[in-house]
Amino acid sequence: MTAGQELIFYIGTYGSEEENRIHWGTMDRGTGELRLLGGTAGIENPTYLDFDDSISVLYAASEKGESDVSAYSANLVTGELTLLNVQSTGSSGACHVSRTSDGKYLLTTGYSDGHISVLALEQDGRVGELTSKIKHSGRGLRDDRQSEAHPHSIFEDPVNKYIVVSDLGMDDVNLYRLEEGKLVTHREINLPPGSGPRHVTFHPSGKWVYGTNELNSTVTAYANDGTFGDLKILQHISTLPEDVVMDNNTSSHLLVSPCGRYLYASNRGHDSIVQYVIDQETGTLRAVNWVSSGGKTPRHFNIMPDGFLLTANQDNGLIASYRIDPDTGNLVSTGYTLEVTRPVCICPVEKAKANKR
């Protein structure tokens, strides 16, 4: 691989802070070939990552008892990370982190104690003080997974600027307004009992939002109502093939393709990525293909520039590379994999170029 052909990406993993837990590697932009460059220790369970291209700073949520977030300055040539600072989230079990589009705030969820938090961001990328914290209260149908609130992800709607929180424990998707760093309750969308909403993704048109429901292995399609700041449920559709019944399957991540024609979602248990075709008039979904995730328990995946997709298979430590067919959207294995202990998040850095070593 040559420097111009390589794309740097970061990998978050489960494990103790004594060993490297954030790794960085490269993907060949022509072939999808993967190689590992390095890693950094000093952070426990960095299970979700977010990268700010404008200032080359990586944010990592540390999923532990008293959670915090770390900010790292990234070298765009080598991928190496330099710690800027660590800040408490004011919650426990922080499993998700994302930024607002204006770059002023960092958003996190505390899965274990039900809190969602907002932290200020400094101009140099350091994480500042807590500006807002809200505790979810309630429960869902299942005693084993939904005896209390479990906010699992938090995203800003890129079109209407609402904060969208999926709460697995309460079977709710909650919308908030963010006013001067303070969360203000706006609306609550109720999912069928036992759904377990986990993550959402946004269609590039702004018309539709899609969410995975972890516990009943479904995806929900929503109409994105910008006038009233609401999500109208259009459809629930299984993430599994019709002839497959699996009580131990849980759906995980999902993303819309950059072209807006396809949606992908991951199955843990079935260990697959499902591909849906998006109806461009209605926003509804039609499942068309399932491919092996290339390993066991695909907690996360990401769509890379140049038409590739990488999966993070948590339980057998494999990251697998796929090419996205430009005509059909089908995933075609490149045959390239990377071994990393318990990978659970993949975060590409499109602007970065790595030197050949």
Side-chain angles (χ1 to χ4, degrees):
M1 290 187 281
T2 61
Q5 290 179 306
E6 295 182 287
L7 172 79
I8 287 176
F9 62 95
Y10 292 98
I11 307 161
T13 69
Y14 268 115
S16 68
E17 62 183 17
E18 284 73 34
E19 298 179 337
N20 286 346
R21 285 299 154 214
I22 300 176
H23 303 266
W24 50 92
T26 61
M27 183 195 77
D28 186 292
R29 302 177 78 127
T31 67
E33 182 179 357
L34 308 174
R35 66 188 181 102
L36 199 61
L37 294 182
T40 187
I43 181 171
E44 180 181 350
N45 296 337
T47 58
Y48 210 87
L49 310 175
D50 187 46
F51 193 81
D52 187 338
D53 280 294
S54 66
I55 54 174
S56 302
V57 171
L58 180 76
Y59 298 98
S62 181
E63 188 177 335
K64 58 182 182 178
E66 295 182 5
S67 294
D68 48 45
V69 288
S70 298
Y72 299 86
S73 176
N75 184 314
L76 294 189
V77 175
T78 66
E80 301 227 9
L81 298 175
T82 301
L83 182 65
L84 294 175
N85 79 322
V86 180
Q87 183 67 267
S88 171
T89 65
S91 66
S92 64
C95 62
H96 194 258
V97 60
S98 63
R99 289 167 296 113
T100 56
S101 57
D102 60 11
K104 292 182 178 180
Y105 300 102
L106 196 68
L107 314 171
T108 71
T109 55
Y111 182 88
S112 299
D113 65 3
H115 284 100
I116 57 174
S117 304
V118 180
L119 300 104
L121 288 175
E122 308 297 337
Q123 287 190 344
D124 66 356
R126 295 172 191 268
V127 185
E129 295 298 319
L130 189 72
T131 64
S132 186
K133 186 169 74 167
I134 288 180
K135 181 175 174 59
H136 283 188
S137 180
R139 60 159 298 152
L141 175 69
R142 289 179 47 168
D143 292 334
D144 59 339
R145 297 289 308 277
Q146 298 183 301
S147 61
E148 58 187 348
H150 292 303
H152 207 302
S153 65
I154 182 166
F155 294 95
E156 181 188 56
D157 176 346
V159 176
N160 300 312
K161 308 305 180 187
Y162 290 100
I163 306 303
V164 184
V165 179
S166 299
D167 196 304
L168 183 148
M170 295 172 60
D171 285 327
D172 289 335
V173 173
N174 297 270
L175 302 185
Y176 294 90
R177 300 188 305 276
L178 188 59
E179 300 177 355
E180 300 299 322
K182 302 297 182 183
L183 290 167
V184 179
T185 299
H186 180 75
R187 200 176 300 278
E188 181 179 284
I189 295 93
N190 303 122
L191 277 295
S195 295
R198 179 184 174 96
H199 274 212
V200 296
T201 189
F202 305 93
H203 193 272
S205 69
K207 295 179 181 179
W208 307 299
V209 176
Y210 302 94
T212 45
N213 301 306
E214 176 174 331
L215 301 183
N216 68 358
S217 298
T218 62
V219 168
T220 299
Y222 305 88
N224 197 5
D225 185 344
T227 302
F228 297 102
D230 197 6
L231 297 178
K232 301 291 188 182
I233 294 174
L234 299 173
Q235 177 192 27
H236 304 296
I237 185 170
S238 178
T239 61
L240 294 171
E242 290 184 2
D243 59 349
V244 172
V245 178
M246 294 186 69
D247 292 335
N248 65 338
N249 186 77
T250 55
S251 62
S252 185
H253 195 51
L254 81 169
L255 285 174
V256 177
S257 63
C259 67
R261 292 185 292 163
Y262 309 108
L263 177 78
Y264 304 93
S266 57
N267 284 301
R268 297 174 297 177
H270 192 245
D271 294 336
S272 64
I273 307 295
V274 55
Q275 174 196 348
Y276 302 94
V277 172
I278 300 173
D279 187 300
Q280 298 300 296
E281 296 296 326
T282 66
T284 56
L285 303 172
R286 176 171 56 89
V288 294
N289 198 26
W290 284 262
V291 299
S292 167
S293 66
K296 185 173 176 55
T297 317
R299 180 182 172 100
H300 191 259
F301 63 89
N302 219 323
I303 295 175
M304 315 294 276
D306 306 297
F308 290 92
L309 183 148
L310 302 185
T311 60
N313 292 285
Q314 177 180 342
D315 286 346
N316 70 337
L318 278 182
I319 294 170
S321 167
Y322 297 83
R323 185 186 298 276
I324 301 174
D325 186 286
D327 296 321
T328 66
N330 290 352
L331 300 182
V332 181
S333 174
T334 65
Y336 295 113
T337 60
L338 200 63
E339 292 188 18
V340 176
T341 302
R342 303 188 75 191
V344 291
C345 187
I346 294 172
C347 183
V349 184
E350 186 167 0
K351 292 182 180 179
K353 300 289 188 297
N355 288 327
K356 187 175 182 180
R357 294 186 176 184

